[in-house]
Amino acid sequence: MSEASQAGEGTGTAPAAVRTVPLSRGLSTKLLLLTIVFVLLAEVLIFLPWIASYRLSWLKERLSTAAAVSIVLVQGDSTSLSRTAQNDVLMAIGAKAIAVRDGGVSRLLVVADMPPQVDEHIDLASVGMVKGMTGALDTLFFGGDRMLRVFGPVGDSDKEFELIMPDYSLRKAMLIYSRNVAFVSLLISLFTAMLVYAAIDLIMIGPIRTMTRSMLSFSEAPDDPGRIIHPADRADEIGVAERELSQMQERLQRMLAEQKHLADLGLAVSKINHDMRNILASAQLMSDRLRQVKDPTVQAFAPKLLRALDRAVSYSEGVLHYGRTQEPPPSRRRVRLRQLVEDVHGLLDIEEGIEFINAVEVAFEVDADSDQLFRVLTNLCRNSVQAMAADTESAVVRRLAVSAERMGSVSRIAVTDTGPGLPPKARENLFAAFRGSARSGGTGLGLAIAHELIRAHGGTVELVESIGGRTTFAVTIPDQPVRLDQARGGLRRPA
């Protein structure tokens, strides 16, 4: 094991991503090799009937030559041939004996050394495709020392000719033919692979390589507009991929620009946050002194001034809180939800005329982080109160109700108000910061923070309905799963 790999294992860090692909592992090399292999495989499948046909043709040629000699001998006197002449005829054909069958009578015309036995009988008139291929493979791999009896009619003759011959010459000819076919097949494979490679490299691999380089270049500087790929004018899948990649890079670049603006905004707010808090603290102290003034006009406006200062402080803290990198993971415990809702009620600045109903059962418990769930319910309830505060008619019902129910291992908390409902723009950007506010001057941070906190619990925040006179948000929180070892430990713990 190398030192680099040992160091990587020791530190527990993942190896660096490979940004360049060697030629031996590139798509082009794999495509070239696969093309060669597939063409050779096709040649092998074609080779089987070829070699079977070559074997039959070779045997038919020898039998035709033997038939021509047989006809001459039948017309004349085969016994007049000397032993030397018979051997010359058989050597020219590569046979041991020649016979002819006419009218059911077999006649041995020429014979040299008659073999003691014949290993294989081949009827050329009844050899099919499968039998021919199996016989050719058998001769090619296991032949060379066998004795064959080849027989069958030749041309339009009614006679049947027979030939006794060894398969040594046949196997030698088949090996030479196979070698030539293999060489030609290899040349065809290379030529076909080069053509296929050139075509696919031009149509597919080249554009894919261009997209790969574009993605690598874009990842190095995603804020540079010059690194966005310029899609080609193609109507196929490659063209669609290039256009989608270009659009994705443009969207990502805009998103990064927005994130940068938000980061700059958070940095600017954090710099002035200290001075703003001091100013607001001083204003709150002065407002508290205004309450001691007996002037009725001052007494009427002092509570409104305090509420305005509290909203300003809450707004500043909300912007800073959302600007953090991430929320801490929830520290989940069993929480009595009714008491938590009462705490939320005590914190809300509910003006006279708005009814608050805590419909949560006394024994209802939820598995959640109490502080984070408190913030979620506070944000939802404050939004409802602010929406209903805009209604000035005394006859309009203004009611905020919090209820809860359990479905198996899932707790569902409903926050329902009788306000005017959410406008369409707020529904489209419901959980988007700075875009999902339902009132003028709002930031939309409350729902964005609530959505982030509940998602960390593995749950959801959703708008169930929002019509004139009824708006319901549902907070769904599943219980955290119990590990098997913890459950066993709890069972073994003494009472």
Side-chain angles (χ1 to χ4, degrees), residues 181-208:
V181 169
F183 179 73
V184 173
S185 300
L186 182 60
L187 292 180
I188 294 176
S189 300
L190 293 175
F191 182 71
T192 306
M194 294 300 296
L195 291 179
V196 173
Y197 168 77
I200 297 184
D201 184 75
L202 179 63
I203 298 174
M204 293 180 55
I205 304 300
I208 292 176

Side-chain angles (χ1 to χ4, degrees), residues 44-297:
V44 169
L45 297 178
I46 298 175
F47 171 75
L48 293 178
W50 280 0
I51 193 66
S53 177
Y54 178 81
R55 176 172 177 264
L56 290 179
S57 299
W58 192 92
L59 292 175
K60 287 181 179 179
E61 181 182 353
R62 295 299 183 276
L63 188 62
S64 298
T65 303
V69 174
S70 300
I71 292 175
V72 173
L73 294 179
V74 169
Q75 296 297 330
D77 185 6
S78 61
T79 58
S80 62
L81 288 177
S82 63
R83 174 60 63 179
T84 302
Q86 292 183 14
N87 291 336
D88 291 340
V89 171
L90 294 175
M91 287 179 62
I93 301 176
K96 295 294 185 181
I98 299 175
V100 61
R101 181 183 294 273
D102 187 8
V105 178
S106 180
R107 178 182 176 187
L108 188 62
L109 299 178
V110 183
V111 61
D113 297 331
M114 181 62 69
Q117 65 178 6
V118 175
D119 300 309
E120 184 178 358
H121 300 268
I122 303 175
D123 184 3
L124 296 181
S126 63
V127 176
M129 179 180 294
V130 177
K131 187 176 180 181
M133 289 189 294
T134 56
L137 292 177
D138 183 67
T139 302
L140 192 62
F141 291 103
F142 305 106
D145 56 353
R146 298 177 180 178
M147 192 62 62
L148 305 179
R149 174 177 174 261
V150 183
F151 59 94
V154 176
D156 297 332
S157 175
D158 56 351
K159 299 180 177 62
E160 185 177 86
F161 301 93
E162 299 182 11
L163 188 65
I164 307 296
M165 59 180 299
D167 67 346
Y168 173 78
S169 300
L170 172 61
R171 183 172 183 272
K172 182 179 179 181
M174 291 175 64
L175 289 175
I176 296 175
Y177 178 80
S178 301
R179 181 194 63 191
N180 295 336
V181 169
F183 179 73
V184 173
S185 300
L186 182 60
L187 292 180
I188 294 176
S189 300
L190 293 175
F191 182 71
T192 306
M194 294 300 296
L195 291 179
V196 173
Y197 168 77
I200 297 184
D201 184 75
L202 179 63
I203 298 174
M204 293 180 55
I205 304 300
I208 292 176
R209 193 181 297 115
T210 301
M211 287 191 291
T212 303
R213 286 196 296 262
S214 174
M215 288 186 287
L216 294 177
S217 176
F218 183 82
S219 65
E220 295 175 354
D223 56 342
D224 185 3
R227 304 204 176 195
I228 296 178
I229 188 174
H230 299 286
D233 188 14
R234 298 177 54 163
D236 55 5
E237 291 82 355
I238 297 295
V240 173
E242 289 181 347
R243 288 190 291 272
E244 290 296 326
L245 176 60
S246 177
Q247 295 175 6
M248 182 184 66
Q249 289 176 340
E250 292 177 354
R251 290 194 299 267
L252 180 59
Q253 197 170 84
R254 289 195 298 267
M255 186 183 302
L256 291 176
E258 293 177 359
Q259 294 293 332
K260 185 177 184 300
H261 292 330
L262 291 178
D264 294 339
L265 174 62
L267 180 61
V269 173
S270 65
K271 290 181 179 179
I272 65 175
N273 180 59
H274 180 70
D275 294 336
M276 181 179 291
R277 283 183 175 178
N278 291 336
I279 296 173
L280 293 175
S282 300
Q284 284 178 323
L285 290 176
M286 296 175 63
S287 300
D288 290 337
R289 293 181 181 179
L290 287 177
R291 288 184 174 181
Q292 301 175 2
V293 178
K294 302 304 182 181
D295 189 341
T297 304

Side-chain angles (χ1 to χ4, degrees), residues 425-481:
K425 182 178 179 181
R427 298 182 193 179
E428 295 175 359
N429 306 284
L430 195 58
F431 301 109
F434 305 107
R435 292 185 295 173
S437 177
R439 59 186 176 88
S440 177
T443 62
L445 289 173
L447 288 178
I449 294 174
H451 181 263
E452 181 181 352
L453 294 176
I454 295 302
R455 188 172 58 179
H457 284 74
T460 58
V461 179
E462 58 180 339
L463 176 63
V464 178
E465 62 175 338
S466 181
I467 57 177
R470 182 178 178 84
T471 299
T472 302
F473 277 91
V475 178
T476 303
I477 303 178
D479 295 343
Q480 57 181 338

Side-chain angles (χ1 to χ4, degrees), residues 5 40 46 49 53 84 150 196 264 281 289 321 345 359 364 380 410 491:
S5 60
L40 286 177
I46 298 175
S53 177
T84 302
V150 183
V196 173
D264 294 339
R289 293 181 181 179
H321 190 74
H345 182 205
F364 191 90
L380 295 177
V410 178
L491 291 175

